[in-house]
């Protein structure tokens, strides 16, 4: 839990990493972010705090150092606060977490859990990687090598979708409002 | 789903009825807590709880019974109780009995409901199993990604979540 270093954080702003695995477990990701290489990379990048949500997996054994604070917990009713505070989010490929992180315009690294069968969430992550919205790592086995590349990754800002796209499509499909044919999605079936 | 329907014209799409899966404990709470306007009164909107065909880990034997029960419930709901003009379904297998019973009542000439299927946002290049099964019986098949729209040209893209690539 949080130590009594409130004075410290007032003086110097934390730069923090938030690691999240969602509702199940992903121990290989947790192992990957707690290796000496990973922690050294984080320190070199100016991060001084890491918060790990490890789900149903093993509680990480990593401990805080003077200049690198580590907090861990299994679950929380909402991850929003930790996401808001993070400067870098390292996450599993869950759609909910990915969308939330992008909505908050966070720098996001998504690691694919290669142990899952038929993991269709890879589809989502790679489509977003292609659009330069996040940085995808294909397997926790190549995580160590990926940190260096993440430095050069410049994410494009995530744009919210068109909240009227569906009403326009539906109205046009049902024959309401012929005048307002939307630019995004007119009726296609002849 | 809430994000898709939140700007629907409440005078055109009324009355609205919600159907949620029995094991889905979050959707009803999410409706109540949704931070934007919705095209219905969230405190009084009629909400039906549909039994699930099969729970994760349930034995195949008993899942035959529960499947029959969920189909029976869907037939009653679509054919008698609600008789909807428009059915909007997304994602999981729970919507299968609803969409199939609507199709049944249409070919029987009892009630011509229109069915719209919204494919999961997670599906970028392949249809979900439910999507594949319902593809032939839906009137409008909606996808969230351009990749999927290009692969299946009879689907319709909504840019509600991801903007079109420039």
């Amino acid at each position: 839990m949080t130590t009594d270093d409130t004075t410290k954080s007032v003086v110097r702003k934390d730069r923090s990493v938030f690691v999240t695995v969602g509702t199940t477990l992903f121990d290989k990701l947790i192992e990957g972010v707690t290796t000496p290489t990973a922690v050294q990379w984080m320190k070199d990048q100016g991060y001084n705090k890491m918060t790990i949500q490890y789900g149903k997996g093993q509680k990480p054994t990593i401990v805080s150092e003077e200049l690198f604070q580590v907090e861990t917990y299994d679950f929380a009713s909402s991850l929003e606060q930790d996401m808001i505070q993070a400067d870098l989010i390292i996450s599993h490929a869950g759609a909910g977490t990915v969308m939330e992180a992008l909505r908050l315009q966070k720098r996001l690294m998504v690691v694919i859990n290669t142990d899952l069968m038929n993991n269709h969430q890879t589809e989502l992550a790679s489509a977003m990687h292609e659009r330069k919205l996040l940085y995808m790592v294909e397997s926790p086995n190549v995580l160590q090598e990926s940190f260096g590349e993440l430095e050069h990754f410049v994410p494009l800002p995530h744009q919210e979708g068109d909240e009227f796209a569906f009403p326009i499509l539906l109205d046009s499909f049902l024959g309401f409002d012929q005048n307002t044919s939307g630019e995004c999605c007119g009726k296609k079936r002849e | 789903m809430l994000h898709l329907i939140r700007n629907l014209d409440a005078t055109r799409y009324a009355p609205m009825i919600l159907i949620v899966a029995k094991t889905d404990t979050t959707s009803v709470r999410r409706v109540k807590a949704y931070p934007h306007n919705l095209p219905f009164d969230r405190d009084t909107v009629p909400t039906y709880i549909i039994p699930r065909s099969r729970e994760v880990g349930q034995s195949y034997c008993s899942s035959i019974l529960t499947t029959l029960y969920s189909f029976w419930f869907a037939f009653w709901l679509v054919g008698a109780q609600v008789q909807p003009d428009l059915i909007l379904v997304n994602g999981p297998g729970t919507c299968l009995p609803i969409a199939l019973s609507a199709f049944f009542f249409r070919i029987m000439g009892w009630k011509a409901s229109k069915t719209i299927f919204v494919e999961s946002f997670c599906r970028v290049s392949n249809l979900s199993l439910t999507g594949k099964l319902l593809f032939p019986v839906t009137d409008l098949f909606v996808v969230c990604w351009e990749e999927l729209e290009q692969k299946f040209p009879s689907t319709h893209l909504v840019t509600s979540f991801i903007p079109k690539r420039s």
Side-chain angles (χ1 to χ4, degrees):
Chain A
M1 290 315 305
T2 3
T3 43
D4 51 345
D5 58 354
T6 33
T7 44
K8 212 194 278 175
S9 61
V10 170
V11 177
R12 186 196 58 203
K13 194 199 170 295
D14 280 337
R15 245 175 83 76
S16 64
V17 181
F18 179 50
V19 182
T20 173
V21 305
T23 50
T24 56
L25 75 169
F26 190 2
D27 284 348
K28 281 185 184 164
L29 173 62
I30 305 298
E31 282 160 29
V33 297
T34 51
T35 60
T37 320
V39 171
Q40 190 54 50
W41 177 82
M42 288 175 199
K43 287 178 186 167
D44 292 346
Q45 294 292 305
Y47 295 107
N48 54 18
K49 186 180 173 188
M50 171 159 65
T51 306
I52 302 177
Q53 182 265 322
Y54 58 90
K56 288 181 186 154
Q58 292 287 318
K59 186 176 167 61
T61 49
I62 183 172
V63 286
S64 293
E65 301 165 25
E66 191 177 348
L67 295 175
F68 193 76
Q69 196 193 335
V70 179
E71 284 176 17
T72 65
Y73 61 88
D74 53 357
F75 294 106
S77 55
S78 166
L79 305 179
E80 200 186 3
Q81 272 314 311
D82 284 315
M83 291 182 107
I84 289 171
Q85 277 163 17
D87 300 280
L88 168 66
I89 297 174
I90 302 178
S91 165
H92 72 128
T97 317
V98 168
M99 282 313 277
E100 179 70 3
L102 294 183
R103 196 180 61 80
L104 295 168
Q105 306 285 359
K106 293 294 176 181
R107 195 173 176 79
L108 175 65
M109 183 190 218
V110 166
V111 183
I112 301 297
N113 189 349
T114 38
D115 289 342
L116 295 179
M117 306 271 265
N118 301 321
N119 189 359
H120 67 257
Q121 287 181 331
T122 311
E123 265 181 50
L124 185 68
S126 55
M128 288 178 157
H129 177 89
E130 212 177 280
R131 284 166 170 80
K132 290 197 163 61
L133 296 171
L134 52 78
Y135 184 81
M136 183 182 80
V137 179
E138 281 163 23
S139 152
N141 302 331
V142 295
L143 185 58
Q144 306 307 313
E145 299 89 297
S146 305
F147 286 120
E149 285 167 43
L150 180 64
E151 282 169 41
H152 308 292
F153 168 66
V154 184
L156 293 178
H158 168 63
Q159 290 170 335
E160 296 281 326
D162 175 7
E163 57 176 281
F164 290 97
F166 190 67
I168 290 170
L169 172 67
L170 207 52
D171 282 351
S172 129
F173 171 67
L174 295 167
F176 290 126
D177 238 18
Q178 295 300 336
N179 304 328
T180 51
S181 63
E183 36 176 339
C184 63
C185 39
K187 207 172 168 180
K188 265 197 301 187
R189 279 178 189 168
E190 250 75 66
Chain B
M1 187 59 104
L2 295 175
H3 179 65
L4 287 177
I5 65 170
R6 74 175 164 120
N7 289 314
L8 287 181
D9 186 335
T11 57
R12 286 172 181 168
Y13 300 93
M16 213 178 279
I17 283 130
L18 307 182
I19 305 173
V20 295
K22 189 166 181 203
T23 44
D24 177 357
T25 49
T26 55
S27 288
V28 172
R29 244 187 299 139
R30 238 178 240 174
V31 170
K32 302 268 189 249
Y34 193 63
H36 306 282
N37 279 335
L38 284 169
F40 52 81
D41 181 346
R42 60 189 85 188
D43 295 317
T44 59
V45 63
T47 305
Y48 291 93
I49 313 285
I50 185 166
R52 252 182 125 123
S53 304
R54 183 169 182 269
E55 299 300 338
V56 176
Q58 190 184 336
S59 83
Y60 281 98
C61 216
S62 70
S63 66
I64 293 173
L65 285 174
T66 47
T67 302
L68 281 176
Y69 179 55
S70 68
F71 268 87
W72 171 254
F73 183 86
F75 271 73
W76 168 79
L77 198 63
V78 174
Q81 180 68 10
V82 179
Q83 299 190 16
D85 298 304
L86 180 69
I87 301 173
L88 202 55
V89 289
N90 71 336
T94 344
C95 68
L96 209 73
I98 298 285
L100 290 180
S101 54
F103 182 66
F104 173 79
F105 288 116
R106 181 161 62 183
I107 55 173
M108 296 301 284
W110 172 256
K111 172 75 196 178
S113 314
K114 284 196 159 67
T115 306
I116 298 178
F117 181 82
V118 183
E119 183 54 285
S120 164
F121 167 73
C122 301
R123 297 297 177 154
V124 181
S125 45
N126 289 298
L127 298 180
S128 64
L129 180 61
T130 321
K132 280 178 199 152
L133 289 169
L134 292 181
F135 200 86
V137 302
T138 50
D139 298 280
L140 191 69
F141 197 99
V142 177
V143 296
C144 303
W145 291 87
E146 277 174 271
E147 285 88 333
L148 211 47
E149 187 207 24
Q150 279 157 13
K151 197 162 163 186
F152 300 94
S154 65
T155 63
H156 291 251
L157 176 70
V158 283
T159 50
S160 308
F161 301 100
I162 296 289
K164 229 177 154 69
R165 271 192 283 204
S166 43

